Amino acid sequence: MAASPPGGSGLPPGLLPPTFPQGVDPTTYKIAEVTELLKAAAYFPIFNVPDPAVRPDPVYLFPSLRDIPVLNQLWIAVRVHEQLHRFEVIVEPPIEGRGLTAINRFGEPVALVHIRFTPIPEDFQAAPNVLPPVPQVLNPYRSQRVCMLDGQLDFQDAAHSGIRAFGCGRTFPGVVGGQPVLYLGAVIDVLEGLGELAGLPGATFPGATMVINGYIQPQQGNLRLNLLIRIMDPRGKLTATGPLRPLQPIPDPDPSAVFMYFLGEPDPSHPVELITGSDGLPVGSRVFEKLRLIRIDFNIGASQGLRSVSEEGPVVGTVSAVLHFSPLNPQPVQPIQTTDGVFTFSDLEGRQLGTVQANMVEGRAFRTNLPGAPLPVFRFGGFGPILDGTGEFANAVGMMSMNSAISVFPRTLSNLYVLRFEDPAGSLRARLAGSGLVQMD
């Protein structure tokens, strides 16, 4: 493999379509316009807790023997019913004497979701409505692939908005508060939109991706998950035009952890470098991004309906990684991964605060037609455990997920990162009073 120089396209002559005029540089053609299209997104940050009205419904390997204590632990699926709450993450800009800290606020119920959580074999080609030929028992002691079947999310708005979706993920054994848990990362593609989201995916909305980051304890019916929906919304149909209804706070359901959100954007001082194979075609890239604070929020108010708002903050770091991805693969969905992933955080004067190592161990790229872009773009979703950290993130434990929009030609991106840190001592948390970001409610 070889790296193309930052100014090279990494493509043999003749492969670009006529949407690129002759003689233009495909890496920069319409880059400003496409960057804005990628950033035009509606975000719905949600926190999942068990629905108090409906307990999880396990599917047993031996249904007729479910009363035997040993055998009733052998589950091949769980029908999960979750109550979704409004979730607000405010990462405060670092100041002298204080590094990065975050406020997590949990609000009123906004939706319900129902899925069939199903373990699957490592080599299983998952698809909607397809069960593995050999049932897999949910194992709390090892990492497993899982898929989410029969996914239905219903917002509690007047238009009865909702989505039907399908996705896959992976469990990772861990410990929270001294108790064994299964960390969970997942990528979910939206198949159909309802109500305010009708036409998703399609001409009205180019597409939507959901990522999950958190943990579950299936046997106890316990789960603590951040579900982040990103809808590509170049026409601004879901952008709030007025103040959002204030969040109605509830007690923190995940007090041992803290979530942080960051927006990755191109780093002009370190352009992305394509990695080409022996045939000269791209097989990946070395990615360099700036990390910017971002605050996102939404509500389902009666006046505007389902609406989202986002607010960018200052640059607080960088991220670099090697992305393994073949953009010329004609398949509509393909697997992706990253290696050598390092988040480097700094204060507003550029002094380093610490680093976090995390790779996307599993992810998917969804080829997406975006009006105004000269080539199809890609929606990325992925996740992986936090491996280590330095400085104020020394010995960091948790999960990373990303929900992104990428253009290969022109070469630009908009990547939203979710970092969940185990933080039992509260060192990464801040009080709501004195928040450095402007209130959007």
Side-chain angles (χ1 to χ4, degrees), residues 83-171:
Q83 189 178 72
L84 309 185
H85 290 255
R86 192 170 161 191
F87 184 43
E88 186 177 42
V89 173
I90 306 170
V91 182
E92 296 197 325
I95 60 176
E96 186 176 353
R98 187 197 72 196
L100 283 170
T101 55
I103 299 159
N104 291 178
R105 301 177 67 208
F106 304 82
E108 65 275 16
V110 291
L112 296 173
V113 69
H114 307 279
I115 60 170
R116 179 187 168 109
F117 180 87
T118 307
I120 58 176
E122 289 292 323
D123 59 351
F124 179 63
Q125 297 297 314
N129 304 315
V130 179
L131 293 172
V134 178
Q136 305 292 298
V137 173
L138 182 62
N139 189 334
Y141 304 108
R142 70 176 179 89
S143 179
Q144 280 182 290
R145 289 187 69 212
V146 295
C147 68
M148 287 71 173
L149 298 170
D150 307 326
Q152 177 80 34
L153 186 154
D154 298 302
F155 284 103
Q156 297 173 348
D157 64 335
H160 301 289
S161 302
I163 54 179
R164 292 175 49 208
F166 165 78
C168 292
R170 179 175 289 276
T171 62

Side-chain angles (χ1 to χ4, degrees), residues 141-429:
Y141 304 108
R142 70 176 179 89
S143 179
Q144 280 182 290
R145 289 187 69 212
V146 295
C147 68
M148 287 71 173
L149 298 170
D150 307 326
Q152 177 80 34
L153 186 154
D154 298 302
F155 284 103
Q156 297 173 348
D157 64 335
H160 301 289
S161 302
I163 54 179
R164 292 175 49 208
F166 165 78
C168 292
R170 179 175 289 276
T171 62
F172 303 88
V175 177
V176 171
Q179 298 296 316
V181 302
L182 287 172
Y183 288 113
L184 175 64
V187 179
I188 300 173
D189 189 29
V190 173
L191 305 177
E192 181 185 7
L194 308 170
E196 292 270 349
L197 305 180
L200 177 66
T204 306
F205 298 103
T209 314
M210 300 189 288
V211 295
I212 289 176
N213 185 331
Y215 74 86
I216 60 174
Q217 293 175 299
Q219 302 294 344
Q220 291 82 4
N222 189 22
L223 54 90
R224 297 293 183 267
L225 302 171
N226 175 209
L227 170 62
L228 179 64
I229 307 172
R230 177 175 180 158
I231 300 175
M232 301 185 74
D233 188 22
R235 299 179 184 176
K237 288 176 60 67
L238 298 177
T239 300
T241 57
L244 298 184
R245 185 182 66 238
L247 178 143
Q248 306 298 312
I250 64 169
D252 187 344
D254 193 14
S256 68
V258 64
F259 286 84
M260 293 185 175
Y261 292 166
F262 302 96
L263 185 66
E265 62 184 37
D267 185 348
S269 64
H270 292 91
V272 173
E273 302 174 6
L274 286 187
I275 300 173
T276 56
S278 57
D279 56 2
L281 298 179
V283 295
S285 58
R286 293 187 174 91
V287 181
F288 309 92
E289 304 168 33
K290 289 184 177 181
L291 289 176
R292 186 179 296 278
L293 296 185
I294 184 170
R295 182 178 171 193
I296 54 181
D297 199 2
F298 79 100
N299 69 9
I300 54 175
S303 60
Q304 294 190 59
L306 194 64
R307 292 295 183 268
S308 167
V309 67
S310 61
E311 174 190 349
E312 295 184 8
V315 172
V316 293
T318 61
V319 61
S320 61
V322 176
L323 171 64
H324 303 274
F325 163 59
S326 299
L328 299 184
N329 185 331
Q331 296 298 319
V333 182
Q334 61 171 301
I336 54 175
Q337 289 183 314
T338 63
T339 53
D340 302 327
V342 178
F343 296 78
T344 302
F345 298 102
S346 58
D347 63 19
L348 300 184
E349 284 71 44
R351 293 183 291 264
Q352 184 171 313
L353 300 171
T355 65
V356 172
Q357 300 173 31
N359 293 318
M360 179 171 54
V361 300
E362 183 175 321
R364 274 166 287 287
F366 303 94
R367 185 182 297 273
T368 302
N369 291 315
L370 180 61
L375 270 181
V377 301
F378 295 89
R379 290 177 289 117
F380 277 13
F383 57 86
I386 292 173
L387 303 175
D388 202 356
T390 65
E392 67 175 48
F393 298 100
N395 305 313
V397 175
M399 285 279 293
M400 178 274 296
S401 56
M402 66 177 295
N403 198 335
S404 309
I406 305 289
S407 170
V408 180
F409 299 105
R411 206 165 294 165
T412 186
L413 52 83
S414 175
N415 296 341
L416 187 68
Y417 293 98
V418 179
L419 297 179
R420 180 191 185 276
F421 296 101
E422 292 298 335
D423 187 37
S427 60
L428 297 177
R429 272 175 278 181

Side-chain angles (χ1 to χ4, degrees), residues 61-81:
L61 179 63
F62 303 111
S64 62
L65 304 177
R66 57 187 294 180
D67 293 331
I68 299 176
V70 175
L71 298 182
N72 69 7
Q73 302 296 306
L74 302 180
W75 296 4
I76 59 172
V78 184
R79 298 184 186 94
V80 179
H81 314 282

